[in-house]
């Protein structure tokens, strides 16, 4: 299994870009909750060991790495709300969360490595879209880890306010338990009304 590395960042640093942020988002697929993005600038002399795509790490490993990332790097996290997701669509909302995360880095980065194949339109920083970037760049991998843990914690909090949907384990994704609870318990204010399974319950004939 190939591990992400610092090679892209090293090439950029040789070109004079010194504040390189990896940017990633989590939460495009769930039926409930915000979409969350993170931007991380790693210190090239103090990169946490074992960074990888958050989906390839155990929860225990993710949490250990999160602690190291916050201790050794610059981190910014931002969200786009359910209301924004429903108003502008999930892709634009995920880009909005990315733009907000980047905007909170101070001083600002001078180059962005963004997971995916699209660059959010609102970004004014030199940027590069990196397909499957969380498996290629340690900066993006670090962003994927802190974004996932942050969003998972948001969903655990929401699960205590709205028990029965299983958000503490499914993070709002359309698991069997979540779909059954939607039918039996109904739609909460945290559900994305523009997503078909939710929309169909609200507007069934």
């Amino acid at each position: 299994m190939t591990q992400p590395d610092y090679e892209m960042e090293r090439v950029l640093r040789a070109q004079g870009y010194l504040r390189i942020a990896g940017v990633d988002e989590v939460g495009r697929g769930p039926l409930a909750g915000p979409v969350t993005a993170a931007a991380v600038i790693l210190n090239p002399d103090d990169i946490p060991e074992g960074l990888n795509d958050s989906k390839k790490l155990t929860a225990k490993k993710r949490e250990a790495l999160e602690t190291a990332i916050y201790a050794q790097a610059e981190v910014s996290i931002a969200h786009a709300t359910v209301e924004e997701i429903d108003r502008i669509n999930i892709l634009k909302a995920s880009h909005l969360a990315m733009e907000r995360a980047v905007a909170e880095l101070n001083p600002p980065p001078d180059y962005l490595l963004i997971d995916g194949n699209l660059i959010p339109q609102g970004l004014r920083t030199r940027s590069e879209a990196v397909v499957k970037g969380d498996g290629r760049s340690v900066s993006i991998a670090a962003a994927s880890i802190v974004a996932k843990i942050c969003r998972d914690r948001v969903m655990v909090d929401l699960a205590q306010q709205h028990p029965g949907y299983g958000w503490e384990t499914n993070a709002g994704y359309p698991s069997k338990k979540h779909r059954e609870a939607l039918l039996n318990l109904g739609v909460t204010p945290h559900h994305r009304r523009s997503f078909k399974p939710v929309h169909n319950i609200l507007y069934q004939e």
Side-chain angles (χ1 to χ4, degrees):
M1 185 174 71
T2 57
Q3 296 271 116
D5 57 34
Y6 198 72
E7 191 53 37
M8 278 186 277
E9 293 88 337
R10 198 170 286 115
V11 169
L12 288 165
R13 288 181 69 83
Q15 296 170 22
Y17 299 104
L18 300 182
R19 292 182 56 75
I20 303 156
V23 185
D24 200 3
E25 53 73 29
V26 64
R28 276 172 62 170
L31 304 179
V35 61
T36 302
V40 175
I41 300 177
L42 293 174
N43 175 352
D45 300 318
D46 194 17
I47 297 172
E49 290 284 326
L51 289 172
N52 205 340
D53 173 356
S54 63
K55 297 183 289 296
K56 296 179 180 174
L57 299 168
T58 63
K60 187 175 180 182
K61 182 65 174 169
R62 272 197 301 269
E63 290 189 8
L65 281 166
E66 181 208 31
T67 301
I69 292 163
Y70 274 100
Q72 296 164 233
E74 295 176 54
V75 180
S76 171
I77 296 180
H79 309 277
T81 66
V82 167
E83 292 78 13
E84 288 168 327
I85 291 166
D86 286 339
R87 190 171 71 246
I88 62 178
N89 81 38
I90 184 59
L91 177 62
K92 289 178 181 172
S94 65
H95 284 183
L96 179 61
M98 287 182 175
E99 291 162 14
R100 286 171 174 163
V102 170
E104 287 178 20
L105 287 171
N106 188 23
D110 49 23
Y111 203 97
L112 306 175
L113 294 171
I114 299 168
D115 185 57
N117 59 358
L118 295 170
I119 294 171
Q121 291 181 341
L123 292 173
R124 297 290 170 259
T125 308
R126 293 279 310 254
S127 304
E128 183 178 339
V130 185
V131 175
K132 296 186 177 174
D134 43 11
R136 296 171 60 192
S137 155
V138 283
S139 299
I140 298 176
S144 82
I145 291 165
V146 294
K148 175 170 173 50
I149 289 180
C150 176
R151 188 182 181 282
D152 283 353
R153 287 177 183 150
V154 168
M155 296 310 295
V156 168
D157 287 344
L158 292 178
Q160 291 171 10
Q161 299 168 38
H162 300 276
Y165 297 88
W167 293 343
E168 66 280 4
T169 54
N170 64 40
Y173 282 87
S175 67
K176 186 169 183 284
K177 179 178 181 178
H178 189 181
R179 286 173 175 273
E180 287 173 353
L182 259 176
L183 292 169
N184 297 326
L185 302 175
V187 177
T188 73
H190 304 289
H191 277 103
R192 301 172 181 181
R193 283 148 169 73
S194 55
F195 278 44
K196 191 170 271 184
V198 181
H199 184 275
N200 289 349
I201 289 169
L202 285 170
Y203 302 103
Q204 56 194 327
E205 295 294 321

